[in-house]
Amino acid sequence: MRDPDPDCLFCRIVAGEIPSDRVYEDDEVICFRDINPQAPTHVLAIPRRHIPDARGLSNGDGPLLERLFGVLRDIADAEGLDGGYRMVTNVGPDAGQTVFHLHFHLLGGRSMRWPPG
Ligand code: 5GP
Ligand code: ZN
């Protein structure tokens, strides 16, 4: 589904119906701080368009992904994450996805373990 979903939390954040601490926005993408941060820097990057998860991406979304990854790189630079950081997207309940609007987590500012839980 690609239209705004009135029941989708992140569509409501895109629409400004729910406030968020935005760190970046343009015509395709918005980025805001996670309400329950798991690291000193925890930013979510989302397309404005409602895509439930990464399985909903198609070949035509290449430019969108380029935008999302480039914006996350710039935010990581601005946050001084010179030692590295993690970018992750959860796909479906088994992966821990709780909001079904595609988003990439940017986590940094502490050392990370692998594998994730
Ligand atoms: P998921 O578990 O789906 O990969 O990630 C969803 C993320 O959204 C979680 O890290 C959660 O803390 C965050 N989140 C949930 N509700 C809100 C909200 O209302 N505002 C913000 N900024 N983040 C939220
Ligand atoms: Zn949505």
Side-chain angles (χ1 to χ4, degrees):
M1 188 170 70
R2 296 258 161 139
D3 296 325
D5 179 346
D7 297 324
C8 171
L9 179 68
F10 286 176
C11 282
R12 297 186 67 198
I13 283 178
V14 168
E17 294 169 16
I18 295 173
S20 62
D21 184 2
R22 295 189 188 200
V23 296
Y24 176 84
E25 62 185 303
D26 63 30
D27 57 327
E28 276 195 304
V29 166
I30 74 168
C31 302
F32 51 94
R33 296 195 189 277
D34 197 292
I35 204 167
N36 182 23
Q38 300 302 310
T41 294
H42 188 171
V43 169
L44 302 173
I46 73 172
R48 287 184 182 272
R49 214 170 74 212
H50 182 83
I51 303 170
D53 63 45
R55 292 173 291 199
L57 291 163
S58 56
N59 287 344
D61 292 320
L64 171 65
L65 288 172
E66 190 178 2
R67 179 87 62 100
L68 283 162
F69 277 69
V71 164
L72 286 176
R73 177 199 58 220
D74 292 346
I75 292 170
D77 286 347
E79 299 267 320
L81 304 180
D82 302 330
Y85 50 90
R86 184 168 290 169
M87 294 189 298
V88 63
T89 187
N90 296 319
V91 183
D94 281 2
Q97 188 179 6
T98 58
V99 179
F100 296 93
H101 180 128
L102 176 66
H103 52 281
F104 290 88
H105 298 256
L106 169 67
L107 295 149
R110 65 168 173 83
S111 59
M112 305 274 163
R113 289 185 297 275
W114 192 264

